Amino acid sequence: MGKLDYIYRMELPHRAVSVYIYLSDRANKNGECWPAIPTIASDLKLSQSTVRRALRDLRKAELLETKQRYRTKGGKSSLLYKIKRQ
């Protein structure tokens, strides 16, 4: 059995599977990464809205947590993604 077999057996749209694998590949040993949505979209050849829908799917399936990060002066930075299952 492969490391990600569970994700293939879940009832997730292909967009969510693609984004989950992408984030898993970029996550550190704590399961965290912070690529920008435009970067994910560009790398996976998906639209930004499709990536946002995939992230929503993954949060709903409890496979991903997101947390907004902020710059020191208070402006928004990229999201922190935490893979809940690796």
Side-chain angles (χ1 to χ4, degrees), residues 9-64:
R9 285 187 248 124
M10 296 181 78
E11 297 288 327
L12 290 171
H14 67 280
R15 65 182 180 236
V17 174
S18 297
V19 171
Y20 185 82
I21 292 169
Y22 179 90
L23 294 174
S24 293
D25 186 50
R26 281 147 182 80
N28 62 18
K29 65 181 179 177
N30 297 321
E32 299 173 338
C33 60
W34 43 90
I37 289 175
T39 302
I40 299 169
S42 175
D43 288 350
L44 293 177
K45 314 294 187 277
L46 298 172
S47 70
Q48 291 182 36
S49 59
T50 298
V51 170
R52 286 186 186 89
R53 284 191 297 272
L55 294 171
R56 186 179 60 234
D57 295 337
L58 293 170
R59 285 190 299 266
K60 186 176 178 182
E62 298 183 353
L63 292 171
L64 182 71

Side-chain angles (χ1 to χ4, degrees), residues 57-83:
D57 295 337
L58 293 170
R59 285 190 299 266
K60 186 176 178 182
E62 298 183 353
L63 292 171
L64 182 71
E65 290 178 1
T66 58
K67 182 178 179 183
Q68 183 65 58
R69 299 181 332 140
Y70 295 92
R71 294 185 171 86
T72 54
K73 294 190 178 197
K76 285 186 178 181
S77 182
S78 61
L79 289 173
L80 172 68
Y81 302 100
K82 171 76 174 167
I83 305 293

